[in-house]
Amino acid sequence: IFSMNPSYTLTQLNSPSLRHSITMSSFPAKVQTVSISYTQLKDKNADLSAKIEQGFGPNGLGILSISEVPGYSLWRQNLLHLGPRLTNLPEDVKRELEDPKSRYNFGWSHGKEKLESGKLDLLKGSFYANPILDVPTTEQSLIERYPSYCGSNIWPHKALPELETAFKTLGKLILDVGLLLAYHCDRYASREMVMLEGEGLEQTLVHSRCHKGRLLYYFPAQHSPAHASMSSWCGWHTDHGSLTGLTCGMFTRDAVEIHSPDSDAGLYIKTRTGQIVKVEYGVDEIAYQIGETTEILSSGQLCATPHCVQAPRGDAASGVDRTTFALFMQPDWDQKLHFPGEVHIHRELIQSNELLTFGEYTEKLLDKYYHLKM
């Protein structure tokens, strides 16, 4: 029921008449992300506040994209082609790449994360690593307290030696571009709030040892019903970190790259007014989404939005898999988060005016979505 929609810009989507027509229709609109060129982004004197507000502000979709990043297309291809190869390694090799102590937040993970239904997610496999630091800390007390961040990377040096270089190179590139974006986010936010030295998004991310990359592989469906749910490949959620860098997904069948067999498959976002839209950006662009922590630290000037991923449907989707990469850029584990008097996010976990470190905040969320700590 979701086919044959035109693509809209966010400005068009915010038109009252168009919003009304979309609301009256059963077809989610397809919206192009706000896009900024890399040349514009690296110019620290450029005023990008209008685009930051359009993409990340209170009326935005919590996402924008960066185009024309040197070297990006090659390194995206290099890493994403490794997703199926990693997933098809022998089971005993993948077990050696698992890290239960980190609640599977380092190395290989499959069937460990809970879906919206409470059931374990068997539809995708993940490989997690810190692309900047193989060993974030050697302090044992921190490793035991924050194992999902303070643990060490686990690489398949013998089974898939090229994974480490491809993962780190792409992760570092997405981080560097994200830091340029964070600088302009701070300029936008500082118009409405006093930002103390070291408290901005850019400095928070520069000093963090917690950045985490996730190579995601979505298993092919043997039979994909025409009316599968919108969140069939990844359930509705809001990223809890600061800024998430995303590649456009790569679809393959029998190890050969193909175009998506279903134009409605992909990323869906719920707007601040409760509408659901399909968000699209170029295959050679890096998309960035705001996380909950940035919404908290910016007092709601930069806003996170719930999103999900829909699998391709119909007979043409049989045997098609998808690989993508996300870089979760987030504060250091000891970064203090001052929660506001009125909490809108995870009310069941967080008290009004509570003071938590990012590590403590994360552990609360992991208790909700993963197994309890080993």
Side-chain angles (χ1 to χ4, degrees), residues 138-338:
T138 56
E139 192 171 327
Q140 194 59 37
S141 62
L142 286 173
I143 295 171
E144 292 175 1
R145 187 177 185 187
Y146 304 130
S148 62
Y149 293 131
C150 296
S152 299
N153 287 337
I154 307 169
W155 298 108
H157 290 300
K158 293 182 179 179
L160 196 62
E162 56 266 56
L163 178 65
E164 180 178 358
T165 297
F167 193 108
K168 287 180 175 179
T169 304
L170 183 62
K172 179 70 163 55
L173 178 61
I174 293 176
L175 174 62
D176 288 344
V177 175
L179 291 174
L180 295 176
L181 180 57
Y183 167 84
H184 289 283
C185 287
D186 286 340
R187 288 190 68 186
Y188 166 74
S190 64
R191 300 185 311 174
E192 300 292 334
M193 61 185 292
V194 176
M195 196 173 294
L196 300 177
E197 187 176 351
E199 281 195 353
L201 179 60
E202 181 189 21
Q203 289 304 308
T204 294
L205 298 178
V206 162
H207 296 298
S208 176
R209 295 162 287 179
C210 281
H211 305 307
K212 185 69 67 71
R214 182 182 188 183
L215 181 64
L216 295 108
Y217 175 83
Y218 296 84
F219 289 91
Q222 299 309 311
H223 173 67
S224 187
H227 300 292
S229 72
M230 184 177 292
S231 58
S232 52
W233 245 350
C234 183
W236 285 102
H237 68 286
T238 306
D239 295 348
H240 83 277
S242 298
L243 195 62
T244 302
L246 294 171
T247 69
C248 199
M250 178 184 290
F251 291 89
T252 56
R253 180 189 279 121
D254 299 326
V256 177
E257 185 177 354
I258 62 171
H259 292 294
S260 172
D262 178 1
S263 64
D264 296 318
L267 178 67
Y268 285 79
I269 286 177
K270 185 176 292 184
T271 72
R272 308 300 279 191
T273 57
Q275 297 164 321
I276 293 174
V277 297
K278 182 177 186 290
V279 175
E280 299 179 335
Y281 53 96
V283 67
D284 293 321
E285 293 185 314
I286 309 174
Y288 288 90
Q289 287 183 284
I290 289 292
E292 294 169 341
T293 302
T294 294
E295 181 167 335
I296 293 165
L297 296 180
S298 70
S299 299
Q301 290 191 77
L302 302 165
C303 295
T305 48
H307 49 277
C308 71
V309 180
Q310 179 175 297
R313 298 176 295 183
D315 294 339
S318 180
V320 173
D321 57 13
R322 176 178 180 263
T323 306
T324 190
F325 178 77
L327 178 68
F328 302 105
M329 303 165 61
Q330 41 211 7
D332 205 62
W333 53 76
D334 59 6
Q335 172 83 37
K336 291 182 173 61
L337 304 181
H338 297 266

Side-chain angles (χ1 to χ4, degrees), residues 103-116:
R103 289 191 274 198
Y104 303 93
N105 275 257
F106 282 97
W108 175 251
S109 173
H110 178 226
K112 311 302 180 184
E113 186 177 359
K114 292 177 185 175
L115 294 167
E116 299 159 278

